[in-house]
Amino acid sequence: MTPTAATLRDLDDLVRLFAAYLEFYEVAQPPASIRAFLEERLTRGDSHLLIARGSGGAAIGFVHLYPYQASLLLEPAWLLSDLFVSKAARRHGVGAALMNAARAFAAASGACGIQLETARTNRIGQALYERLGYVRDEAFHTYWLSLSGGACAPGKVRALASPGRDA
């Protein structure tokens, strides 16, 4: 199983996976909203999505990256925003394959690194990231400023760090 760059042809599968991802984090959204969001990302090319498929061709996971400039390093980098593997495909190396594909993509783009955040309670994810060479940042804290009510409400953001989460 080799993850590939997602295209508009993958949109139906991505919507299904992304809906499961949002449900996992208890921030479910209507499929039409998810479709519009992902279609815009794919059309604009303002992010990079990789999709993993099982041996039968079924979509089983994705990783979602956004470019940014690492100001302190004066170089481009990528933010790994979302990683999800369907429940049935977990513990079979899909997450590692997606992470390694993201790494290869970022390196090929000339980036200096990949940054990600995860819940403090996500021990499974942390073990994967550290096994793959990611180093926990002990120098910086992450903050969030909500600029609107609705989807950016603090409670929804806190849900991402709720205890027991390990997508």
Side-chain angles (χ1 to χ4, degrees):
M1 180 269 318
T2 303
T4 58
T7 68
L8 287 171
R9 288 183 301 246
D10 298 305
L11 191 55
D12 289 340
D13 289 330
L14 285 170
V15 169
R16 182 181 51 76
L17 288 169
F18 212 87
Y21 169 69
L22 294 176
E23 287 173 17
F24 178 85
Y25 279 111
E26 299 175 1
V27 289
Q29 296 287 328
S33 297
I34 297 168
R35 175 176 291 282
F37 173 78
L38 292 172
E39 186 171 19
E40 187 173 7
R41 301 289 67 74
L42 291 167
T43 302
R44 283 186 175 186
D46 58 5
S47 68
H48 190 73
L49 280 150
L50 294 161
I51 189 167
R53 295 185 177 280
S55 58
I60 56 175
F62 72 90
V63 65
H64 194 186
L65 301 144
Y66 289 90
Y68 78 98
Q69 298 297 314
S71 302
L72 299 180
L73 300 172
L74 306 178
E75 295 188 51
W78 288 88
L79 171 67
L80 195 154
S81 180
D82 312 296
L83 171 68
F84 181 75
V85 176
S86 64
K87 197 171 213 172
R90 293 181 190 156
R91 303 287 193 183
H92 296 287
V94 178
L98 284 161
M99 294 294 292
N100 286 329
R103 180 183 186 151
F105 167 77
S109 77
C112 67
I114 299 172
Q115 178 179 331
L116 65 81
E117 295 177 344
T118 191
R120 293 173 197 242
T121 57
N122 185 358
R123 303 285 185 229
I124 293 170
Q126 292 168 31
L128 170 65
Y129 308 143
E130 291 172 12
R131 189 176 81 232
L132 295 176
Y134 287 74
V135 177
R136 182 180 310 188
D137 185 334
E138 301 292 345
F140 295 93
H141 291 283
T142 300
Y143 291 86
W144 177 264
L145 173 65
S146 180
L147 299 176
S148 65
C152 289
K156 289 192 176 187
V157 173
R158 276 194 294 277
L160 299 177
S162 65
R165 291 289 172 210
D166 62 354

